[in-house]
Amino acid sequence: QVQLVESGGGLVQPGGSLRLSCAASRSIFSFNAMGWYRQAPGKERELVATITSGGSTNYADSVKGRFTISRDNANKKVDLRMNSLKPEDTAVYYCNAHRYVYPQTYDYWGQGTQVTVSS
């Protein structure tokens, strides 16, 4: 079990930046991947970015070149730096911790933080 708490959301103008942070209640070293997902009103939750325990990253096409995910195992946190924000980035952003121990997968979620991009 792990509790995840997101912070850093808010209202920002188009073209602006935000930094989201996800704090874990215990070590995240054992999780195969940590990630950020988002859900806009009326839409399904979608992957934004993930980072593996080895540091490999994966991004949704819509955020490549604008968002950067980072992982700090020592401080038990995962950040998402978001630049050049667009109105279509508006959503609730969720932190995820993923662990795979054959044959089981375990996924843990935070409560989410609202990001609104609007002028």
Side-chain angles (χ1 to χ4, degrees):
Q1 281 279 11
V2 64
Q3 280 73 51
L4 304 171
V5 179
E6 303 97 336
S7 61
L11 173 65
V12 64
Q13 292 187 342
S17 299
L18 279 177
R19 187 180 191 96
L20 304 183
S21 188
C22 172
S25 60
R26 68 166 182 84
S27 171
I28 62 172
F29 184 78
S30 64
F31 289 99
N32 302 96
M34 300 292 296
W36 287 92
Y37 292 71
R38 67 187 181 188
Q39 187 167 18
K43 295 188 176 180
E44 294 189 353
R45 191 173 296 189
E46 63 177 3
L47 179 148
V48 176
T50 60
I51 184 167
T52 69
S53 56
S56 297
T57 57
N58 180 51
Y59 296 92
D61 288 342
S62 59
V63 308
K64 281 181 182 176
R66 300 189 297 121
F67 290 12
T68 303
I69 189 170
S70 60
R71 175 174 180 158
D72 184 343
N73 288 335
N75 291 303
K76 302 178 292 183
K77 69 173 189 172
V78 179
D79 288 350
L80 183 70
R81 177 69 180 175
M82 305 185 294
N83 295 325
S84 302
L85 283 160
K86 304 174 181 180
E88 51 263 43
D89 294 318
T90 295
V92 178
Y93 283 70
Y94 297 91
C95 181
N96 169 264
H98 176 80
R99 189 175 183 209
Y100 174 67
V101 182
Y102 181 84
Q104 290 280 83
T105 60
Y106 303 87
D107 280 287
Y108 303 94
W109 297 92
Q111 294 293 317
T113 185
Q114 176 71 47
V115 171
T116 302
V117 185
S118 175
S119 55

